[in-house]
Amino acid sequence: MPRLTRLLLWLLASLLLVIAAAVIFLLTFDWNRAKPWINARVSATTGRAFAIDGNLSLHWQRPQPSTPPAGFWARWVPWPRLQAEKLRLGNPAALASSGQMVTVRQVTFTLNPLPLLVHKISLPALEIQEPAVSLLRDREGVNNWTFKTDSGSPSTWQMQLGRISLRQGKLALNDAVQKIDIKADIDTLDPDKDKVYGLGWKLTGSFNGAPVSGQGKAGGVLSLQDQQQPYPLQALVKVGKTTVGVRGTLTKPAELAALDLRLSVAGASMGNLYPLTGVLLPETPPFATEGRLIGTIAPDRSQWQYQDFSGKVGDSDLNGSLNYLTGGVRPQLTGTLSSNVLRLDDLAPLIGADSNAEKAQRGAEERQPGNKVLPVKTFSTEAWGALDADVRFTGKRITRQKGLPISDLQAHLMLKDKVLTLDPLNFGVAGGNLTSTIRLDGQAARMKSDMTLSARKLKIQKLYPELDASRTSFGEINGDARLSASGNSVAAMLGSANGEVKTLVSQGAISKFLLEAAGLNVGNVVISKLFGDKEVKLNCLAGDLPVRDGVMTVKTLLLDTEDALIVVDGSIDMKHERLDLNVHPHSKGLRIISLRSPLYVKGSFKDPDVGVNKGVLALRAGGAVALGLLAPVAAILPLINIDADQKAECGRLLEEVKKTPQAPPAGKSRPHQAAPKK
């Protein structure tokens, strides 16, 4: 036999001998002797104590038939099946007194050895029995789920998981920062009773002081290799007064790349969803919505679409679609919402104008003081930096308990860099339009605000259809307001406001009944004291009300009726919610015998006091004040941008007033003419 042949045979025999020895070693080796080495390596890697307290064994099995072999010979390479019992992983040193982070009764996994040649750890099957995981975070923010990392280059090894089977698991989360304390039990379902789901779970605990409960189901075995096989999910979770339900599938579970769920959400207020979702929504009355939630998750960005949802907010319906996108400087919320029937009172929680009982129902902490009228609810501008938003809303028909004829609402909300803009915020009212632009700058600790409001062609007859059309013609209401302020509530903003309010009403009628219907309680008392409970024809009403540091001064407020000229002076203090007004009636002849002396309107917004100034005669007071205010009234008319017919009519009525015996003749009023000195 040639020498080379003998050498090759010896080498082959030696190789077979080494392989046989290795096989014998693997089959006969007591793997429990390797536990100290394994415990030490895992402890050093994780930075916390790790131990296998139970038996550690290795078995061999043939490759799974469903796994495609790398070659013909690969099907003859056995797969090791490693089983470890009684595993435990401790907490970091700062939380060492809290016990173990993880305990597992038994872990069994199968290893495909061939991918090890290309630095890939392939586990076709992983079974975990009775795992107990306790996640902790203390008040200083120290947690036990952050492991120490190697500052060197990333590992060239990759992990590939196949099927994961979990039995009788327990999960606990105690987070002192987010005030979360919940526990979950996970167990295998009876396959004979449930053909779709294999795992069931139950949840109990608390979140931010609110009770948490829930239950759900999931697929029994999570297949991470079959990316096209949907993984079924079902859950119903209640946090305080908020209930969230989902039913659908997860595809590409290895990447959590696609969710397609039917999502229902109900609760006391949409504002309560922010701690749960991170999506900033406004305060609302109790709500319930249902729609399709599609989630696409990638390493650098994720997108969530709540499509074609419908529901109720208070007594209003709400429909639309929202899109939430992460990955930029801030998450982006965009969408379009609409309401076929919108109850105006359902908008009250946006500014805290709902009652204390309603605040308690939606879980709000603030309460409106009993002696205050302006809402004191504080806007939390810190959360405005959580996202940017661009949402359009349409209210197709609006209802109100007292029947204010608001026909529709158009709003465009934009939030960027903590600046909230409503441009426009428009109402269709009584055949006319109430348009406004509101800008709230939340970048500073004390929010800055600007508001521009314009009322055009509001028809009096549509505002008050109860009026007798045979007694008088009906005019229109026009007005403008421009205000700037600072403060984090409606009360604080109005209490620091600067700007001006101008208004003009041409023609119409007034009465105690009409003002009661409009909810103007002070007005109906004043009219009742002046005219009794009768309908009085209105010729013209004009007002010029400058605002400085929250105090609205009555520069001009004149009411011209068929029987009298009524002028008002004084101020309205919005910071302290105080009224200090004087009402001076000036009779036109002897048509109203009961016309009273000047009135005063004083006291708080909550409890105003209307009385009679008995020390001053009505004719003297009315004539003196009217003389000083006729010119200012004429001066503000062009600032309202009314049409020529309205301007001419009010001018004619002012000329009539000047001809009455109670007022001395006055020169012709001109636009922007200064008021003569009294």
Side-chain angles (χ1 to χ4, degrees), residues 268-286:
S269 171
M270 288 187 181
N272 296 342
L273 297 179
Y274 176 68
L276 300 176
T277 64
V279 180
L280 182 63
L281 296 173
E283 296 290 344
T284 68

Side-chain angles (χ1 to χ4, degrees), residues 295-626:
T296 304
I297 306 171
D300 57 343
R301 59 179 287 171
S302 61
Q303 183 175 16
W304 299 88
Q305 301 175 65
Y306 195 25
Q307 295 182 345
D308 301 325
F309 69 85
S310 61
K312 297 278 288 185
V313 180
D315 292 328
S316 308
D317 68 281
L318 184 65
N319 313 278
S321 296
L322 292 173
N323 185 64
Y324 184 71
L325 180 65
T326 68
V329 177
R330 284 175 298 276
Q332 297 275 342
L333 178 67
T334 59
T336 303
L337 307 175
S338 66
S339 176
N340 294 314
V341 179
L342 173 64
R343 191 173 73 106
L344 198 61
D345 289 348
D346 291 334
L347 299 178
L350 295 176
I351 59 173
D354 51 341
S355 68
N356 283 340
E358 291 170 327
K359 288 181 173 66
Q361 183 180 5
R362 61 182 171 88
E365 295 182 357
E366 80 276 355
R367 294 292 183 270
Q368 182 72 12
N371 62 338
K372 295 289 185 180
V373 172
L374 300 178
V376 300
K377 165 190 163 57
T378 301
F379 298 109
S380 179
T381 57
E382 293 181 359
W384 290 10
L387 54 74
D388 291 339
D390 188 336
V391 179
R392 295 182 182 272
F393 176 78
T394 301
K396 299 179 181 178
R397 184 167 70 89
I398 298 180
T399 63
R400 184 187 175 194
Q401 290 180 349
K402 297 189 181 210
L404 185 66
I406 300 178
S407 57
D408 60 89
L409 166 64
Q410 301 287 335
H412 183 194
L413 182 148
M414 292 172 287
L415 177 63
K416 186 175 179 62
D417 295 337
K418 299 185 73 173
V419 177
L420 176 65
T421 305
L422 289 167
D423 185 13
L425 176 60
N426 294 345
F427 293 87
V429 183
N433 294 292
L434 185 64
T435 62
S436 64
T437 298
I438 300 175
R439 185 178 185 272
L440 305 176
D441 187 347
Q443 293 180 347
R446 185 173 175 86
M447 183 175 64
K448 299 178 180 179
S449 57
D450 295 279
M451 183 189 75
T452 301
L453 184 144
S454 178
R456 290 293 180 270
K457 299 184 180 299
L458 274 61
K459 305 296 189 296
I460 294 178
Q461 186 174 17
K462 290 187 176 182
L463 277 170
Y464 307 111
E466 303 89 352
L467 293 177
D468 185 359
S470 64
R471 285 178 52 88
T472 182
S473 60
F474 295 99
E476 297 177 344
I477 298 176
N478 294 273
D480 287 295
R482 293 178 179 87
L483 297 173
S484 61
S486 62
N488 291 0
S489 68
V490 173
M493 286 187 286
L494 292 178
S496 64
N498 293 284
E500 58 182 354
V501 178
K502 299 180 183 293
T503 184
L504 174 68
V505 180
S506 62
Q507 302 181 352
I510 57 173
S511 70
K512 177 184 176 184
F513 167 76
L514 185 153
L515 295 172
E516 283 180 343
L520 303 176
N521 298 323
V522 174
N524 72 55
V525 174
V526 171
I527 295 300
S528 176
K529 288 184 178 292
L530 289 177
F531 301 106
D533 191 10
K534 58 173 286 188
E535 188 173 296
V536 181
K537 181 180 178 181
L538 170 67
N539 295 326
C540 186
L541 182 149
D544 183 4
L545 310 171
V547 182
R548 182 179 178 85
D549 295 331
V551 178
M552 179 182 290
T553 304
V554 182
K555 179 180 179 182
T556 301
L557 184 55
L558 181 144
L559 179 66
D560 184 30
T561 74
E562 60 182 346
D563 295 316
L565 175 67
I566 302 172
V567 291
V568 181
D569 61 22
S571 63
I572 301 174
D573 187 344
M574 294 181 287
K575 180 182 295 185
H576 302 99
E577 297 195 6
R578 304 291 299 179
L579 297 167
D580 186 8
L581 300 172
N582 296 294
V583 182
H584 306 275
H586 177 57
S587 177
K588 295 180 180 180
L590 302 176
R591 285 177 286 179
I592 302 182
I593 304 300
S594 62
L595 195 61
R596 300 294 184 94
S597 297
L599 305 178
Y600 63 81
V601 181
K602 298 182 182 298
S604 66
F605 290 3
K606 188 75 173 180
D607 187 20
D609 178 27
V610 180
V612 178
N613 267 326
K614 298 180 180 180
V616 184
L617 296 177
L619 295 181
R620 283 178 51 190
V625 178

Side-chain angles (χ1 to χ4, degrees), residues 113 115-122 154-160:
L116 295 175
L117 300 176
V118 292
H119 285 203
K120 182 181 293 186
I121 301 175
S122 176
S155 174
T156 59
W157 288 84
Q158 298 179 2
M159 173 74 75
Q160 182 179 9

